[in-house]
Amino acid sequence: MATMVQAIRMALHHGEKNLGVTDIFGEDVGAPLGGAFTATQGLETAWNSPLDERGIISTAIGLGLAGDRCVAEIQFCDYIFNTVDLLKIAGNMLWTSNGQYNMPIVVMTPVGAGIRGSVYHSHSFDSWATRLPGWKVVMPSTPLDAYGLMVSAIKDPNPVLFLKPKALLRVRGEELIPGEPDEKTLKSMIDAPIGDRSKWKARWPDLGEFEIPIGQGKIVREGVDITVVSYGRTLPLCVKAAAELAEQGRSVEVIDLRSMYPYDWAMIRDSVRKTGRVLFVNEDTEVTNFGEHLAYRVTQELFYELQARPRVLAGKNLPGIGLHPNLEEASVPHLEDIKHELELVLAEVP
Amino acid sequence: MRQTQVAKAKANVKADAKAKLAAGSKPRAKIAVKTAKPTKERALTLLSKPQLVNMMDLMVKSRVLEERLIKIYKAGDAFFWIGGPGEEAFGVPLGLLVDKGQGPSHDYLHLHYRATPTLVAMGMSYIDSIRLIMNRATDPSTGGRNFANHYCYPQWNVVPVGSPIEVQYGMAIGTGISQRRLKMKKQKSGVSIVTGGDAGSAEGDFASCLIWSSRPEKELPLYITVQNNKWGISTPYSEQHGEKNVADRGKAFGIRTNVVNGNDPIETYFQIQGDLEYIKKNTRPVLTEFQVSRLYGHSSASGANRENGDDPIELFEKRLVDSKFVKPGFVKELWTAYDTESRQISDIVRAEAGPLSDTIWDHVYVDNENADWRKF
Ligand SMILES: Cc1ncc(C[n+]2csc(CCOP(=O)(O)OP(=O)(O)O)c2C)c(N)n1
Ligand SMILES: [Mg+2]
């Protein structure tokens, strides 16, 4: 079974072979490294950019203006912040030009905590990203979704921000990508060897066309007592929490939102109507958090169907995430927090 | 009516030229001998009379438009004015020399907010610019969404002019990469031309442009230009920069650099022509600094009143008159005709409707895919 990073690599290969991708670029994205997390190893159109995030985003915009298709990488989302005005420009290009210039670019960047990355390799960007109108924003939690969302992102004529939960990049999925070979074979085909890579060339498996439409969530576990909505790194934690609560006779429905904008409101609405209780979980900082927007909407549209106040569990409102495990774990949601919050919402009596 | 006036002024010039031809006079050759400043006058003879007259005409046409835009602002018919009066001797030659068309096989224009002269020379009509400043629904650049001089013409590769200073220098890298790719495939390819101010070159995007365009074996066909008017709003050049010329910064990257008098349309014409030829031939960038005037201050925020400074139109008119390419009244006649035209067009545009409020959601995404979360 492919890891998420292999899935992304295969989707990018599909992009350059079949979807017209001309440039996959960013810091250390080309040979020999193929990306800080190896997402771009062996790709024909991958190249190394100067160490210049503003240059990377503005180059992507220029390529988009020229009608080329590119996937640009910001090595860690912690370093995307000095490009925010350029992201705004990419998001408003179509609108300001009154429909005359669209911006068909993909920007991908690893996000979140969970790899002991300390202050500057643990930031999140999902809440920031949802404040970039004109962009679509996605974040997978499985290799299969990563493949399907990347294919959709490349095909989309709008700018798409593809957030990679870095703690899940090496995790294998349970569902296979159609046409995916077994683990060992895949590794021998598409993982660059250690040492001299100058003569190495990837051999790409023949994968079928597989897409996950942007804007579609997924119910990963059905339940009737409470809904938990999450994405990215905290999603598998929510699934685990649901499984543990099931042992206590609690039935938790878990939604993997997958797309933050546009988001699958119909799925959230129908689920919350059924359960009457909802918890939103993500690891971006908690003040002005995207989960708050969803909780607000639930309150506005489903108020009289609720059995409990909607809650948001997010990262603490801190300037950074400390390196020591005690610090990191106290800063972002972990399994026990999620279980605890679920229990609080479940215990509330209307 | 307006057309007849402009046509009349031009017809007078033609008649004048014809009369001279009939009389067998060869003004160009004579001037070179007669004048006290032979080099300058020789410069004039490098272009044909129709070219010189056309250049003068476009410079006046652009200036009159800018002055009309200022009047529109001052009359309360626009919220803001910013533009390029004083940059005509740079902008008009640029507009005349551009390879105009759509896609990377033609030149891309990453312009700043003082580009009216370039657009006028490329063929933009008055009504387009006036609709933009009056933010009418008919505004072809932004549909009433953005400021004066924030042009957008995809059919000419004029990508949207934005307010954030200097970002265009980074975007030019991307179109330049696309053009280099065509060139490497031996297909017709254009140049990515970028314009901007002196103060703004302190932004990192300017450095990005120099660095990305000069990497060995990856050099880009970029025409990096700076219009140095010696000001960034109220801060003089000496407080913004330590380097003598902005263009000097290109030298560290092995980029060919030039500093030219941007108030002399002949000098800029041949500089731009030579630079574009070099870029196309070598697929390498050029950085040229044009020293220009800022004749109406920064923008309407600082009053948009006439200020001191060399006026490229007055200077050029004098040369053309001294050399007898045009009669003394030529520019005045043109001016009056264009002014009438601009006034009549403002009257038309004033009567046009603004964009409807429910169009705010249009073009957030391609094909007006729903962007309003209330409707997901
Ligand atoms: C990134 C950014 N910072 C500040 C401003 C506000 N601003 C608009 S024009 C300007 C001065 C620009 O000076 P210069 O680059 O010399 O161009 P000029 O206006 O003189 O042509 C400033 C500070 C802006 N538009 N964008
Ligand atoms: Mg200036």
Side-chain angles (χ1 to χ4, degrees):
Chain A
M1 261 162 285
T3 61
M4 188 184 288
V5 84
Q6 287 175 323
I8 292 170
R9 206 187 296 156
M10 290 191 283
L12 292 172
H13 169 72
H14 180 69
E16 61 182 15
K17 269 280 161 283
N18 307 302
L19 305 175
V21 169
T22 51
D23 299 85
I24 298 168
F25 68 103
E27 293 156 16
D28 309 298
V29 158
L33 189 60
F37 291 88
T38 74
T40 52
Q41 278 184 351
L43 296 167
E44 261 173 48
T45 61
W47 50 271
N48 294 323
S49 75
L51 202 170
D52 175 14
E53 288 77 17
R54 291 188 63 79
I56 291 168
I57 300 299
S58 41
T59 296
I61 296 173
L63 287 164
L65 289 169
D68 286 343
R69 293 266 169 167
C70 69
V71 179
E73 178 170 79
I74 297 295
Q75 199 164 62
F76 292 89
C77 85
D78 311 62
Y79 308 117
I80 204 170
F81 291 89
N82 71 337
T83 74
V84 165
D85 61 319
L86 295 165
L87 297 175
K88 293 282 290 181
I89 290 168
N92 69 31
M93 188 69 75
L94 182 72
W95 191 86
T96 356
S97 67
N98 205 21
Q100 299 185 83
Y101 270 107
N102 68 311
M103 195 34 62
I105 62 174
V106 179
V107 172
M108 60 178 187
T109 187
V111 298
I115 60 156
R116 305 291 180 232
S118 90
V119 183
Y120 267 88
H121 301 83
S122 305
H123 275 92
S124 287
F125 199 65
D126 44 295
S127 289
W128 297 88
T130 57
R131 298 191 47 79
L132 294 169
W135 282 82
K136 296 186 177 181
V137 185
V138 302
M139 170 141 58
S141 72
T142 69
L144 181 71
D145 286 355
Y147 184 90
L149 284 170
M150 181 55 87
V151 170
S152 296
I154 291 169
K155 283 185 164 180
D156 204 287
N158 300 287
V160 181
L161 197 50
F162 187 99
L163 304 178
K164 302 189 272 195
K166 67 173 92 78
L168 300 182
L169 285 173
R170 309 240 179 271
V171 176
R172 293 184 192 286
E174 285 165 12
E175 302 156 300
L176 290 178
I177 303 162
E180 176 189 330
D182 68 79
E183 223 173 281
K184 249 179 108 183
T185 313
L186 183 64
K187 185 174 168 49
S188 72
M189 290 172 81
I190 70 164
D191 283 2
I194 312 284
D196 181 21
R197 294 170 173 181
S198 54
K199 298 209 171 60
W200 175 74
K201 266 187 89 149
R203 289 176 298 123
W204 299 99
D206 197 9
L207 299 191
E209 181 81 15
F210 177 76
E211 279 175 68
I212 304 276
I214 295 176
Q216 250 180 42
K218 182 180 174 188
I219 296 176
V220 290
R221 183 184 173 105
E222 288 194 27
V224 292
D225 296 336
I226 185 169
T227 304
V228 58
V229 181
S230 188
Y231 45 78
R233 185 179 76 83
T234 49
L235 192 277
L237 297 176
C238 292
V239 174
K240 211 159 176 207
E244 291 186 14
L245 288 183
E247 286 165 21
Q248 299 162 27
R250 296 304 207 156
S251 167
V252 181
E253 180 143 300
V254 185
I255 292 178
D256 185 351
L257 203 54
R258 304 193 292 196
S259 294
M260 271 113 271
Y261 213 89
Y263 59 84
D264 195 340
W265 172 245
M267 183 174 282
I268 298 173
R269 182 195 58 212
D270 294 349
S271 177
V272 177
R273 271 205 177 123
K274 178 174 71 177
T275 61
R277 295 169 196 267
V278 61
L279 172 68
F280 297 98
V281 183
N282 65 67
E283 60 176 317
D284 206 340
T285 47
E286 61 201 338
V287 176
T288 323
N289 180 280
F290 177 57
E292 292 181 334
H293 164 73
L294 298 175
Y296 165 78
R297 188 161 184 190
V298 164
T299 319
Q300 291 301 305
E301 296 190 26
L302 303 169
F303 189 71
Y304 295 105
E305 293 164 76
L306 290 174
Q307 303 295 316
R309 291 168 297 169
R311 284 180 88 93
V312 176
L313 174 62
K316 299 288 191 310
N317 199 38
L318 294 167
I321 289 173
L323 178 56
H324 191 281
N326 288 349
L327 303 178
E328 176 166 328
E329 275 153 36
S331 306
V332 289
H334 51 98
L335 181 61
E336 289 311 313
D337 293 330
I338 297 169
K339 272 166 57 185
H340 178 67
E341 291 285 322
L342 283 168
E343 279 162 356
L344 282 181
V345 185
L346 281 165
E348 201 162 313
V349 180
Chain B
M1 213 229 305
R2 55 193 161 81
Q3 266 145 358
T4 44
Q5 284 192 34
V6 175
K8 226 197 254 167
K10 286 183 187 169
N12 286 347
V13 174
K14 266 193 199 151
D16 180 38
K18 261 193 192 160
K20 267 195 201 127
L21 273 180
S25 72
K26 290 197 180 94
R28 271 179 257 160
K30 270 188 198 160
I31 296 150
V33 195
K34 256 203 235 166
T35 162
K37 288 180 189 164
T39 43
K40 268 204 169 170
E41 298 308 331
R42 206 178 299 135
L44 280 185
T45 66
L46 295 171
L47 290 175
S48 69
K49 175 165 175 169
Q51 281 178 308
L52 292 170
V53 171
N54 185 40
M55 191 117 82
M56 183 81 258
D57 182 325
L58 290 168
M59 287 169 70
V60 174
K61 187 173 182 185
S62 174
R63 175 70 60 82
V64 173
L65 173 58
E66 287 285 20
E67 291 185 346
R68 175 58 53 192
L69 298 181
I70 292 170
K71 285 179 194 136
I72 289 171
Y73 163 76
K74 290 190 174 175
D77 286 328
F79 296 107
F80 182 68
W81 168 82
I82 192 160
E87 293 197 9
E88 293 87 357
F90 160 73
V92 165
L94 177 66
L96 289 172
L97 288 162
V98 154
D99 170 7
K100 208 168 83 173
Q102 188 159 16
S105 59
H106 300 278
D107 294 345
Y108 272 95
L109 287 146
H110 299 265
L111 303 170
H112 73 155
Y113 45 71
R114 303 203 189 277
T116 288
T118 301
L119 269 297
V120 165
M122 289 175 80
M124 177 186 72
S125 64
Y126 272 12
I127 201 159
D128 278 14
S129 184
I130 292 174
R131 283 171 165 159
L132 171 60
I133 196 174
M134 287 204 204
N135 39 85
R136 294 307 196 250
T138 48
D139 151 30
S141 289
T142 80
R145 291 174 175 192
N146 215 342
F147 282 152
N149 257 280
H150 286 51
Y151 297 116
C152 167
Y153 291 90
Q155 67 275 30
W156 296 340
N157 280 345
V158 174
V159 306
V161 174
S163 297
I165 296 290
E166 221 65 5
V167 296
Q168 70 273 28
Y169 287 83
M171 296 179 202
I173 301 167
T175 53
I177 289 174
S178 193
Q179 289 165 321
R180 182 189 161 92
R181 191 163 20 238
L182 282 188
K183 176 87 181 202
M184 294 301 126
K185 289 189 205 155
K186 308 244 181 302
Q187 292 174 21
K188 179 181 184 293
S189 65
V191 171
S192 286
I193 300 163
V194 54
T195 71
D198 47 305
S201 69
E203 299 276 6
D205 305 295
F206 187 77
S208 295
C209 193
L210 300 180
I211 292 168
W212 289 61
S213 66
S214 62
R215 294 188 298 156
E217 317 269 303
K218 298 179 178 66
E219 294 91 346
L220 301 177
L222 296 200
Y223 191 26
I224 308 165
T225 76
V226 175
Q227 286 68 62
N228 186 351
N229 60 15
K230 300 277 196 287
W231 291 99
I233 304 189
S234 68
T235 310
Y237 186 83
S238 57
E239 273 182 58
Q240 304 260 15
H241 292 275
E243 75 273 31
K244 184 162 176 283
N245 292 300
V246 177
D248 293 342
R249 286 150 69 190
K251 291 177 185 161
F253 300 91
I255 294 176
R256 178 188 272 207
T257 66
N258 315 282
V259 180
V260 299
N261 174 9
N263 280 332
D264 177 345
I266 309 296
E267 190 174 332
T268 61
Y269 186 92
F270 287 104
Q271 185 67 48
I272 295 170
Q273 190 177 54
D275 288 347
L276 289 171
E277 271 166 20
Y278 169 90
I279 298 164
K280 281 188 186 157
K281 182 159 171 256
N282 300 290
T283 316
R284 294 182 72 91
V286 169
L287 166 57
T288 300
E289 174 176 343
F290 297 86
Q291 308 210 316
V292 296
S293 298
R294 192 183 74 169
L295 292 179
Y296 281 83
H298 176 71
S299 68
S300 56
S302 50
N305 296 315
R306 177 71 191 216
E307 293 176 4
N308 290 334
D310 286 345
D311 185 332
I313 293 183
E314 283 171 14
L315 294 172
F316 191 43
E317 180 189 10
K318 186 167 183 313
R319 288 166 70 193
L320 291 188
V321 170
D322 286 352
S323 313
K324 303 208 163 35
F325 282 104
V326 298
K327 282 189 180 159
F330 171 65
V331 163
K332 195 161 177 242
E333 229 176 294
L334 267 183
W335 208 288
T336 312
Y338 279 130
D339 189 53
T340 309
E341 177 181 352
S342 72
R343 186 159 22 81
Q344 286 165 341
I345 290 175
S346 339
D347 291 342
I348 295 170
V349 175
R350 197 174 298 110
E352 289 180 349
L356 298 174
S357 19
D358 64 5
T359 61
I360 53 169
W361 293 104
D362 289 355
H363 311 305
V364 178
Y365 293 120
V366 168
D367 292 335
N368 280 356
E369 180 187 326
N370 175 40
D372 184 356
W373 57 273
R374 295 164 196 83
K375 294 180 183 159
F376 286 164

